[in-house]
Amino acid sequence: MAPDILAEITGMLVEIVGDEYLLAEEVTMKTTFNEDLALESVEFVALAELLHHRYGAEVDLMGFLAEKDMDAILAMSVGELVQHIGRVTAASPSRVPAGGSPASAG
């Protein structure tokens, strides 16, 4: 399940940042949002929106970030988000099937 989620998050990041800045092969579970990807707050908001469309309200990126202190947010890795999504979607009966496509794909 984690590789599927990682691939979906990578696709979302490419959509947000643009593939000229982000090569899919470079995103791993250890990739950090701040240091490696240099994501800005507006890009986090865009990612939150894409995650909401893909996984539903249960995957609340802003709520997930609100539980962390500033140092933890700055050090957060893609893997932490993948694990969070995996936990939330595994516990949710309304989870979108792994083969489903994001509503915002296009």
Side-chain angles (χ1 to χ4, degrees), residues 22-56:
L22 178 72
L23 299 175
E25 298 83 41
E26 293 179 0
V27 177
T28 69
M29 296 288 276
K30 293 182 180 181
T31 300
T32 61
F33 287 101
N34 183 49
E35 190 172 321
D36 296 328
L37 299 176
L39 236 59
E40 297 180 11
S41 58
V42 69
E43 293 165 330
F44 263 111
V45 171
L47 179 60
E49 177 88 8
L50 291 174
L51 290 169
H52 178 81
H53 284 302
R54 171 62 179 97
Y55 297 103

Side-chain angles (χ1 to χ4, degrees), residues 59-90:
V59 175
D60 176 14
L61 178 58
M62 295 305 148
F64 179 61
L65 293 176
E67 296 172 359
K68 299 178 175 296
D69 65 22
M70 186 55 72
D71 289 337
I73 292 170
L74 292 174
M76 190 173 81
S77 70
V78 173
E80 289 177 67
L81 181 57
V82 168
Q83 291 172 348
H84 170 69
I85 292 169
R87 282 191 303 271
V88 170
T89 58

Side-chain angles (χ1 to χ4, degrees), residues 13-25:
L13 290 169
V14 168
E15 183 178 333
I16 293 165
V17 179
D19 56 2
E20 64 270 14
Y21 301 110
L22 178 72
L23 299 175
E25 298 83 41

